[in-house]
Amino acid sequence: MTDDTDERETICDSAASLVEGCRLPVRMAGGNDWPLAEIVSIKEIRESRFFYVHYIDFNKRLDEWVTEERLDTRKVQFPRRDGPAQGTGVSTPKKLGLGAGMGGGSVPSRPSSPVAAELVNGSAVLAAALHKKMSRKRKGVSLESEAGEARGGAEAAGAEARPESQEALPRSTGSMVAHHDDVVTRMKNVEMIMLGRHRIRPWYFSPYPQEMVHLPCIYICEFCLKYRKSLKCLEMHLAKCNLRHPPGNEIYRKGSISFFEIDGRKNKVYAQNLCLLAKLFLDHKTLYYDTDPFLFYVMTDFDARGFHIVGYFSKEKESTEDYNVACILTMPPYQRKGYGKLLIEFSYELSKFEGKTGSPEKPLSDLGLLSYRSYWAHTILDFLICAKPTGDFESPQITINEICEQTSIKKEDVISTLQNLNLINYYKGQYIITLNHELITSHSRAMEKRATRIDPKCLHWTPKDWSKRAKW
Ligand code: ACO
Ligand code: ZN
């Protein structure tokens, strides 16, 4: 299916010769920009071809199905015959631990579990799809004729785009990392979800069952996170579902904001459904089916109808790398309102209670990095501005370690923040931090905007020493 020639730019007179892996300018939705994009998959519906494209220098959130008119076929780079470098150039999730039910990568410290018993929900479906794909490929079945099925032939495209390898086969662990970069998981597969009052368009792939992803919308109970095929089925569920808040213990409440702590072992189904939901908005995380080693902190907003999920973060019960967050998410309808920073603040508050410093699990997403940088800068500046001179010194004498102790932010994050803010100067043989007036003013303005803050007095929580337990 791929071109026999090496990578080359060529004029192709029609879109008919385009194949998966081709790169060409594509008009982005809602504008007249034509960035370079890669064709991830092609499907044919009633004699029209649709192309699933990834814009090379953009986040995968923007990947979409486009029709021929949006392709500039005058400048096409055909994929190289072998070697996925050009042919499957869509950025793939890093092989790093992601945790919280969203595990990724082959981080040795990450616990794993037997697969068959642990696979729930869509995982079995995804595993089966991949298995089917591989066995079909072994049998040498042409997949082109099936390119229209299975959400635009995602499966078929996967088989065409990659050489057969062990990598594509499900691994015998609870983690789905083995197929982290398969084309199936590179494409959005859910059209829409309904969660409480919100209809939300997903950003990324999530392994909901195949019978769910074919539907125009998945209806999710906002309290227990179970999913249903139709509004009617959801209504029937709601009539029976007693939950009006997440399961687990409410460990924080101030105003309408609460936090619930959920043990991934005790509330497995909830934890797995939360992971499935979260995966729709987390790209660089691969689903991790063993939720036992994680705690989930779900933030809710209360009204007369109940405690509505706003966001969550997950945390390993024991982290050898001092991670205090595995995955973090604000539900899209609540994003850019300061809830992300509230979640982050809460995670550091837990670390303070534990008497530790912590850091989020890497890699961070683009939005994760923005949010963390902003939180670290606010927190560190706040500490520096409030610091008072001691003894005979004119200016406060602060060590990096003191910043870490007071804020629970890990040393490397403190240093990178000070460097990013350009605050560290070398003066008369020593490093000093210089704060200018402008920075102080802009910091105060930013802090005024953060109306809602975590109040440690409202946290009712004692850290557990998980290492002392025989089993999580
Ligand atoms: N574009 C530009 N800036 C943004 C955007 C955006 N789309 N979204 C957030 N920001 C900035 C905000 O302006 C703010 O910066 P500021 O304080 O300097 O103004 C900062 O990021 C945080 O904003 P919040 O409103 O507090 O955060 P939000 O509620 O939007 O949540 C989060 C941030 C959790 C990263 C959210 O974007 C999200 O859920 N994204 C999808 C999942 C994800 O990527 N999670 C992080 C993965 S990394 C990990 O899990 C360890
Ligand atoms: Zn329910």
Side-chain angles (χ1 to χ4, degrees):
M1 191 159 169
T2 47
D3 196 285
D4 271 348
T5 57
D6 277 341
E7 181 204 341
R8 59 174 191 197
E9 271 191 15
T10 182
I11 293 179
C12 74
D13 34 11
S14 83
S17 49
L18 293 173
V19 292
E20 285 126 11
C22 280
R23 289 179 172 203
L24 72 171
V26 177
R27 184 164 60 77
M28 256 186 166
N32 202 24
D33 291 333
W34 292 78
L36 188 66
E38 180 174 309
I39 298 175
V40 177
S41 185
I42 302 174
K43 68 178 174 182
E44 212 167 308
I45 302 176
R46 278 177 245 107
E47 284 166 33
S48 298
R49 284 180 106 203
F50 294 84
F51 303 84
Y52 192 83
V53 296
H54 165 70
Y55 300 98
I56 303 298
D57 289 326
F58 294 81
N59 188 282
K60 268 170 62 185
R61 281 190 291 280
L62 303 177
D63 292 6
E64 55 180 338
W65 285 104
V66 300
T67 46
E68 265 181 52
E69 314 85 76
R70 287 178 52 190
L71 307 176
D72 182 353
T73 51
R74 289 168 303 174
K75 258 196 171 182
V76 180
Q77 296 168 19
F78 278 88
R80 262 204 288 250
R81 186 171 41 161
D82 40 47
Q86 285 296 319
T88 57
V90 179
S91 65
T92 54
K94 304 272 184 315
K95 276 205 168 188
L96 275 168
L98 303 156
M102 322 298 300
S106 44
V107 169
S109 67
R110 191 147 309 269
S112 65
S113 70
V115 72
E118 293 297 328
L119 289 175
V120 292
N121 303 322
S123 56
V125 177
L126 178 63
L130 287 156
H131 185 74
K132 200 169 113 199
K133 181 191 84 182
M134 295 315 294
S135 51
R136 271 208 243 148
K137 211 172 143 39
R138 264 180 236 116
K139 284 182 207 147
V141 177
S142 161
L143 294 158
E144 228 156 336
S145 58
E146 298 172 44
E149 65 162 48
R151 303 282 312 153
E155 212 188 305
E160 288 298 322
R162 308 211 126 236
E164 185 169 0
S165 74
Q166 276 305 113
E167 266 291 279
L169 286 168
R171 272 221 235 127
S172 55
T173 71
S175 135
M176 296 294 283
V177 295
H179 6 93
H180 73 287
D181 60 352
D182 193 277
V183 83
V184 176
T185 62
R186 282 207 258 137
M187 293 175 34
K188 292 171 205 180
N189 58 340
V190 177
E191 197 75 39
M192 188 77 82
I193 59 162
M194 201 181 99
L195 181 72
R197 286 174 300 139
H198 309 286
R199 276 181 183 262
I200 311 168
R201 205 173 274 285
W203 297 355
Y204 309 112
F205 171 90
S206 180
Y208 278 95
Q210 201 64 23
E211 66 268 24
M212 288 285 161
V213 301
H214 282 297
L215 303 167
C217 184
I218 298 179
Y219 297 84
I220 300 171
C221 171
E222 61 171 325
F223 302 115
C224 72
L225 305 184
K226 286 188 178 145
Y227 46 84
R228 292 291 180 266
K229 283 179 175 177
S230 67
L231 194 53
K232 199 157 171 251
C233 292
L234 181 70
E235 281 164 0
M236 278 160 63
H237 167 82
L238 290 174
K240 287 186 294 179
C241 182
N242 298 323
L243 275 186
R244 288 297 171 267
H245 54 76
N249 298 327
E250 188 183 4
I251 57 168
Y252 178 94
R253 186 187 293 194
K254 185 164 190 186
S256 65
I257 296 293
S258 293
F259 276 85
F260 292 80
E261 184 186 57
I262 294 126
D263 185 325
R265 185 178 69 83
K266 291 187 188 152
N267 287 290
K268 209 174 276 229
V269 175
Y270 180 88
Q272 286 169 332
N273 283 331
L274 178 57
C275 293
L276 267 182
L277 172 61
K279 179 64 195 71
L280 293 170
F281 308 102
L282 279 156
D283 173 40
H284 59 308
K285 312 267 174 185
T286 317
L287 261 192
Y288 197 78
Y289 290 97
D290 183 10
T291 58
D292 289 16
F294 298 96
L295 293 165
F296 297 80
Y297 294 92
V298 175
M299 180 166 73
T300 60
D301 187 24
F302 176 76
D303 69 13
R305 290 177 302 116
F307 294 77
H308 308 282
I309 181 167
V310 170
Y312 88 104
F313 66 88
S314 53
K315 176 172 176 167
E316 277 178 288
K317 291 173 183 171
E318 286 180 273
S319 169
T320 46
E321 282 116 317
D322 289 338
Y323 292 138
N324 63 357
V325 162
C327 287
I328 185 162
L329 168 77
T330 304
M331 293 299 164
Y334 295 95
Q335 284 176 9
R336 305 207 70 174
K337 294 181 163 79
Y339 289 114
K341 276 211 285 289
L342 208 56
L343 284 163
I344 296 173
E345 191 177 0
F346 192 81
S347 72
Y348 281 106
E349 214 50 60
L350 295 185
S351 295
K352 285 184 200 168
F353 270 57
E354 292 171 328
K356 288 182 188 167
T357 60
S359 185
E361 207 174 273
K362 311 300 174 314
L364 297 174
S365 66
D366 55 348
L367 297 175
L369 185 62
L370 272 174
S371 306
Y372 268 97
R373 281 215 174 130
S374 167
Y375 173 82
W376 291 329
H378 283 188
T379 309
I380 294 168
L381 281 174
D382 228 28
F383 176 69
L384 294 176
I385 291 166
C386 295
K388 299 269 179 299
T390 47
D392 296 336
F393 295 105
E394 247 175 64
S395 51
Q397 306 291 302
I398 299 162
T399 64
I400 303 269
N401 281 344
E402 275 164 356
I403 303 177
C404 301
E405 276 162 30
Q406 292 296 316
T407 59
S408 271
I409 301 173
K410 210 176 170 183
K411 200 170 186 173
E412 65 213 43
D413 299 329
V414 170
I415 294 169
S416 76
T417 306
L418 292 173
Q419 283 169 340
N420 276 332
L421 291 170
N422 223 356
L423 295 184
I424 303 184
N425 292 298
Y426 195 64
Y427 181 71
K428 291 192 179 163
Q430 60 174 351
Y431 289 100
I432 59 160
I433 294 171
T434 337
L435 298 176
N436 62 48
H437 197 67
E438 250 169 75
L439 190 68
I440 297 172
T441 319
S442 74
H443 170 70
S444 328
R445 268 196 233 113
M447 290 312 269
E448 277 164 27
K449 278 203 269 166
R450 270 174 75 180
T452 316
R453 299 288 302 272
I454 295 298
D455 182 351
K457 292 194 290 300
C458 301
L459 175 60
H460 302 286
W461 184 73
T462 347
K464 287 194 184 81
D465 186 354
W466 295 95
S467 65
K468 293 212 175 107
R469 297 174 177 233
K471 184 159 179 21
W472 300 304

